Amino acid sequence: MAFENSEQNKPVDASTQAQRFAWAASVSEYQGMTSSSIQNRVDANQAAIESGFFNDLVIDFGNEPILAQASHYRDYPTVQSTEPAHQSLFQDPFTAPNKLITGESNQPNISGGVKDLNSAGQLFTGMVHEGLKTLDFLSKPAAINDSIISMGPILDTAVNYYTNPEKISHIQQDVTQFRDSGLNQAEQVIDRLSHPMNQNDVGHNSAAMSPWFIYGLKKPVSRATAVEAGGLTMDEAANLSKSELIDKLGTAGVEWTEQNYRDVFFKGHPELVGFEDQIVVHHAIEQQVLEEYPMLFTAGELNDLSNLRGIPKDIDNTFHKGELRKDWDSFYRKYPPGCLSRDDLRTRIIEHAAEIDRIHGKKFEPPQ
Amino acid sequence: MPFYIVEPEVPGRFGKQCVFKDRLARPPVVEKLHYEFDGWSGDDLLSVILTYIGTLRLAAALQKLDPPVSGVEFDDVVVTKSSEYRRWGELQPDNLDDFVWLKINGDVGVDDFGIAGRQQVGVADRYLVVSERVLATLRSLNFSQGTAVEYLHPSSRSM
C-alpha cells in the first residue's frame, strides 16, 4: 500500500540528530543501569513470560530450565545453517513448538558451535573465539534477545572439554587469553544482564511477534493457531514447504507478514536505531481497524513502513493513547462496520489517517 | 440544569472475552464486557465506542449523589493489560484499579447519564451526555484526559 509519506526518507540534519540525542540522554533510564543481580533479571524476565508478555518457552539445560522469548525464533526463515553441538536444542518447529529453534532464527548467527577439534588447544581456542564473538554481540544494544541462543554450542563445548582430564592443562593459558581479550566485553555483558530488562535491552527485535495474522484480529497468532485456523494438523503443516503453507493458510483467511512492524520501522529509519526504548511505534491507520472492519485492510498493509509513525514515549499516554485513540474512537462511533461501501469506507479511513498526519504530523518522529 | 457532552480517555479496547449481541450497533450491544488496556494515564472514567467503565471510587462517588444518580447501572467488567501495556510498563501504573461497567440507559437531558444523537442508516453520530453534577464528580477525581463541552438540547437549538 502506498500511503503518501514524502518525508520518511529524508536525511536527518545535525540539529535534529543533536536534539534527539539530548532528548534521549535526558531520560533517566540511561543512567545508573548497573544494579541488582542476574537473578533479579531472570526473575523479571520470568515474570514477563508468566504474565504473557513473552510467549512461553523453556530451554531445558538439565535441572535449570531457562525461560526465554520464543515466538520470533520459530517462524522466521533460516539465515545461516549451523551444525549444532547440542542437537536437542534444534527441534522441528512443527513438532516441538515450545522448544527453542535456533536453526530457524532470524538473528545473527553468533555462534555456530565448535566442531571437529583434535586437540584441547584448538578446542578451547575455538571456545574462546566463539565466546568473544558472543560477548562482543551481547555488549551491543538489543542483544539480550539473542543471548541465550548463543549459549548452547559454547556450553556444549565447555562441558565436553571439562569432562576430558587430559585437556585441563591447557586451561590456564587459554583463560588468560580469554581474560585479557574479553574482560571489557564481559563487563559490559554483566552490566547489561544485571538490571531488569527494559526496552533498550529488548530492542526492537523483542517486539518481534508471530508473523501469522487471522483476518479480523488485530494481534498476531501463534503458528499452531494459524495452522489450526487453516484447517490443518501440525503434521500436515510439517509436510508443506513454507511457501505452500503460506498459500494454503492464505486461502483460509490467515495472513503471513514477513516482518514485525517495529523492525520495519527501525529498518526504514536507521537514524532512530539506538532510540528504540524511547519510541513507541504507532500505526497511522490503527491496527484496531483490523478488528473493527474485518477484511478491509490486511495486517501487511498496516505494517507497511508508510503506515508507521514514531511517537516519543514521553507523550505516548497523552498523545498516542490520549488524543489519537479518542480520535479513532470517534471515527468508530461515527462509522459502524457496513455503514458505507467497502471502497468508500476504506477511502474514508485513509483520509482520516492523512488528516491526523496533517494536524499532528510534527509530533511524530520523524515528523510527517 | 446544564448537561455536557463528555469524551473520556480511551486507553484500551474490547477484549477477546467480550460477548456481543450486536457488534455493529452504536453503542454495540454487549452482554459481557472485557476491557483490555493498552495504557492508562489514571482517569476514572474510560470508554471504547460508547461503552464505559469507571473505577470503583468513581462508582462510589456517583452512588453517594443525592438524589440518587440516574441513567446508569453498574455491572461487572473484566479488565486485562495488553502486551502493549506491559511493553511500556514504566509509563503506566503497575496495577490496574478495580473497575465497573457503567451501562448507560438514561434519557438525555433528563437523567444524569444518557447517549445522545442517533444512528441513521449509515453514519452514526452519538455521544455521552452527563449532568453537571456528574461532571463535577468526574472533575473531583481524575479526568485529565477527558473533555467536556456543554450539550445543547436540539429543542433549545431550534429556539
Side-chain angles (χ1 to χ4, degrees):
Chain A
M1 183 168 56
F3 299 121
E4 289 298 321
N5 186 2
S6 59
E7 297 283 336
Q8 67 190 23
N9 293 319
K10 285 186 178 178
V12 177
D13 59 35
S15 172
T16 303
Q17 194 73 358
Q19 287 176 4
R20 284 183 187 148
F21 180 80
W23 159 54
S26 69
V27 176
S28 59
E29 285 182 11
Y30 276 97
Q31 303 160 12
M33 289 179 67
T34 60
S35 63
S36 191
S37 65
I38 291 177
Q39 186 58 48
N40 286 343
R41 175 168 204 91
V42 172
D43 290 343
N45 292 346
Q46 181 165 347
I49 294 164
E50 289 172 347
S51 64
F53 185 25
F54 295 149
N55 287 357
D56 291 339
L57 171 70
V58 176
I59 308 170
D60 193 350
F61 284 120
N63 294 325
E64 296 293 332
I66 297 174
L67 298 172
Q69 181 190 9
S71 59
H72 68 288
Y73 290 123
R74 289 203 289 269
D75 291 324
Y76 284 79
T78 300
V79 173
Q80 182 177 349
S81 63
T82 61
E83 188 172 308
H86 196 313
Q87 290 292 343
S88 65
L89 285 174
F90 290 72
Q91 301 287 332
D92 179 350
F94 292 97
T95 57
N98 288 324
K99 291 290 185 181
L100 180 66
I101 309 303
T102 53
E104 294 228 342
S105 171
N106 67 331
Q107 309 303 316
N109 183 35
I110 45 185
S111 174
V114 182
K115 55 190 177 183
D116 299 330
L117 296 173
N118 297 318
S119 71
Q122 282 178 297
L123 188 149
F124 201 84
T125 299
M127 177 176 134
V128 168
H129 177 66
E130 296 296 327
L132 289 177
K133 282 170 60 182
T134 302
L135 289 172
D136 181 58
F137 177 78
L138 289 176
S139 66
K140 294 180 172 58
I144 297 301
N145 287 337
D146 310 304
S147 60
I148 293 174
I149 201 173
S150 70
M151 293 179 182
I154 297 173
L155 289 177
D156 283 325
T157 306
V159 169
N160 292 335
Y161 181 81
Y162 287 114
T163 55
N164 186 341
E166 295 178 3
K167 313 291 172 64
I168 297 297
S169 61
H170 298 278
I171 289 179
Q172 185 58 49
Q173 171 188 345
D174 294 328
V175 162
T176 301
Q177 177 188 353
F178 183 88
R179 182 195 64 196
D180 293 344
S181 303
L183 193 56
N184 183 48
Q185 290 98 321
E187 285 176 343
Q188 293 181 53
V189 171
I190 291 169
D191 175 56
R192 298 191 64 77
L193 287 172
S194 60
H195 61 83
M197 179 178 281
N198 61 27
Q199 187 66 20
N200 191 46
D201 301 325
V202 175
H204 55 272
N205 285 335
S206 78
M209 52 190 71
S210 167
W212 297 102
F213 286 80
I214 295 177
Y215 291 145
L217 295 181
K218 168 186 170 182
K219 290 185 174 181
V221 298
S222 68
R223 176 192 286 264
T225 302
V227 167
E228 184 180 1
L232 299 177
T233 65
M234 294 300 273
D235 286 341
E236 290 170 336
N239 290 325
L240 298 175
S241 69
K242 177 181 164 185
S243 60
E244 289 172 335
L245 183 62
I246 292 171
D247 290 344
K248 182 77 176 177
L249 297 185
T251 62
V254 180
E255 180 188 354
W256 160 275
T257 55
E258 191 64 36
Q259 294 176 306
N260 84 80
Y261 66 88
R262 283 186 64 87
D263 279 342
V264 171
F265 180 82
F266 286 105
K267 284 178 183 173
H269 298 291
E271 75 278 10
L272 296 175
V273 171
F275 299 102
E276 291 93 338
D277 65 334
Q278 299 299 303
I279 292 178
V280 179
V281 178
H282 161 69
H283 292 75
I285 295 178
E286 278 197 330
Q287 286 181 299
Q288 186 70 18
V289 164
L290 296 174
E291 294 185 357
E292 291 300 323
Y293 310 110
M295 311 293 285
L296 204 56
F297 292 87
T298 66
E301 285 180 303
L302 299 197
N303 288 344
D304 187 88
L305 180 62
S306 62
N307 191 47
L308 301 177
R309 307 285 182 269
I311 296 177
K313 78 171 183 181
D314 58 355
I315 61 170
D316 184 58
N317 265 341
T318 56
F319 174 53
H320 182 198
K321 298 188 177 76
E323 290 181 74
L324 295 184
R325 290 301 297 271
K326 281 172 66 177
D327 193 287
W328 276 104
D329 193 75
S330 174
F331 187 94
Y332 303 141
R333 291 201 313 258
K334 195 168 185 179
Y335 297 100
C339 68
L340 299 173
S341 72
R342 173 186 165 84
D343 288 346
D344 286 348
L345 186 54
R346 188 181 157 92
T347 300
R348 192 66 56 89
I349 291 170
I350 293 172
E351 288 175 348
H352 187 70
E355 180 68 12
I356 290 175
D357 276 350
R358 279 192 290 274
I359 296 172
H360 299 292
K362 291 183 179 178
K363 296 178 182 174
F364 293 124
E365 190 64 45
Q368 298 297 305
Chain B
M1 180 171 62
F3 285 81
Y4 296 85
I5 296 172
V6 165
E7 292 201 38
E9 180 184 7
V10 189
R13 50 200 160 74
F14 292 121
K16 289 181 179 176
Q17 298 174 48
C18 272
V19 177
F20 292 101
K21 196 170 182 180
D22 186 351
R23 181 74 168 83
L24 306 185
R26 291 297 181 263
V29 182
V30 184
E31 293 186 334
K32 178 185 175 186
L33 181 59
H34 169 206
Y35 195 97
E36 182 151 293
F37 284 78
D38 290 322
W40 183 35
S41 62
D43 274 18
D44 288 87
L45 179 65
L46 312 172
S47 69
V48 57
I49 312 181
L50 295 165
T51 306
Y52 301 91
I53 66 172
T55 58
L56 276 184
R57 70 170 184 166
L58 171 61
L62 292 173
Q63 287 173 327
K64 287 180 183 173
L65 292 176
D66 186 20
V69 66
S70 61
V72 62
E73 290 179 9
F74 301 101
D75 205 342
D76 294 336
V77 57
V78 175
V79 295
T80 55
K81 301 174 186 173
S82 70
S83 58
E84 179 79 4
Y85 190 106
R86 289 186 287 267
R87 178 181 301 153
W88 299 100
E90 74 272 25
L91 302 177
Q92 335 290 353
D94 289 339
N95 298 308
L96 293 172
D97 287 6
D98 290 326
F99 284 87
V100 294
W101 179 6
L102 277 67
K103 303 169 86 167
I104 313 300
N105 57 16
D107 292 330
V108 174
V110 177
D111 292 311
D112 287 302
F113 286 86
I115 301 289
R118 54 187 174 176
Q119 181 176 348
Q120 302 170 323
V121 177
V123 174
D125 188 12
R126 312 201 71 175
Y127 32 83
L128 176 66
V129 174
V130 303
S131 65
E132 185 175 34
R133 65 177 187 156
V134 167
L135 180 59
T137 303
L138 289 172
R139 286 178 167 160
S140 72
L141 302 173
N142 194 345
F143 191 58
S144 63
Q145 301 300 312
T147 58
V149 296
E150 188 168 357
Y151 170 73
L152 298 178
H153 195 278
S155 59
S156 66
R157 277 178 285 188
S158 62
M159 293 172 64

